[in-house]
Amino acid sequence: MILVMTILAKDEEDILRENIEYHKSQGVDHFIATDNASKDGTTSILKEYERQGILTYILEDGPYHQTKWVTTMARMAHDEFNADWVINNDADEFWWPCHGDLKTALRKVPAHYNVVRARRHNMLLNSGNTGSSELPFYEKMTYRREISINPLGKPLPSKVCHRGFTDIVVDPGSHSVSGIDGVAVFEGDIEVYHYPYRSYDQLRNKVINIGSGYEKNPQTNTRTGVGPGLAMRTVFAQHKEDPESLKSFFERHMLSPDQIRSGLKSGEVVEDRKLSEYLAGLSLPLSGRDAAGSRSRNRILSFFRQLKS
């Protein structure tokens, strides 16, 4: 089996390396990444993996166009890399197989199914440790709600991966696919851990990047008159009208220690450390990072683990 992952990224340096290393360890054979003119270290990280021969790099410096770019990468995965399965991913999402690795999970899919649906979980910041800037995102985000919601307060939609096809169309948000005959969806043994709001600065950058991209290129569906990305477009519009609204939004998507305690008792909040512990055990390369900073982070992690033991 050949498993290819596509990634659409813009200014994701704080999470991108962990994402690629994690999915490498889970059986992904090759990555195709579209960089929407990042201004931070995203480009250098992607170029590093390109030099290793495991990533194909694409630069898009025009207005944000998720559906077009992801569809192009998904078709390339099949046509140029003979992908049996394609996972269309965002830099803040980690596909977690409940048993074995990703290839093991996909091999179990019956032959007559060509799409696998994966439930998503939004991992949330604990407001009690937001000041721990030296901790990696996955150490600060180990709680989630039992039922995750999107920015509009509706249940968080699942994501799908699919078998390789020349004519595949990846619909907005990678929540579904079209362009092929007989889409048959399998409820797979895979979950997706989503880390959307890792800091206020990261959230603000994301909302402005994506919201302004949709503003410049609405990508309205000629049949329905509706464009993709309603949740992000709504948050961006509120931010333009009242910049302070984004701080309130960020605070609403954190959990306070009191919310965690009461939520754990009621079952509304879940402590979920599976991915955090897995990522902590990965040996991340230091290339492109400050080695001294990494050593400092490791000392802090060791200290916190001793406190927990």
Side-chain angles (χ1 to χ4, degrees), residues 80-138:
E80 297 188 19
F81 297 96
N82 300 312
D84 297 293
W85 282 96
V86 182
I87 296 176
N88 300 300
N89 198 27
D90 293 329
D92 60 2
E93 293 177 335
F94 294 73
W95 291 62
W96 177 270
C98 297
H99 304 285
D101 62 12
L102 287 170
K103 283 188 174 179
T104 300
L106 293 172
R107 284 193 184 100
K108 293 180 180 178
V109 178
H112 59 283
Y113 289 101
N114 48 29
V115 174
V116 170
R117 179 178 288 119
R119 180 187 178 194
R120 277 197 301 167
H121 306 293
N122 272 354
M123 303 304 293
L124 303 176
L125 276 169
N126 177 350
S127 64
N129 63 20
T130 53
S132 305
S133 59
E134 292 294 332
L135 289 176
F137 67 92
Y138 51 84

Side-chain angles (χ1 to χ4, degrees), residues 153-193:
K154 297 181 179 180
L156 189 69
S158 58
K159 300 292 285 276
V160 300
C161 61
H162 57 84
R163 295 189 190 273
F165 292 99
T166 296
D167 299 321
I168 195 79
V169 174
V170 182
D171 298 328
S174 303
H175 305 304
S176 60
V177 296
S178 55
I180 58 177
D181 293 332
V183 172
V185 180
F186 183 73
E187 301 298 331
D189 197 17
I190 300 174
E191 300 176 329
V192 179
Y193 285 90

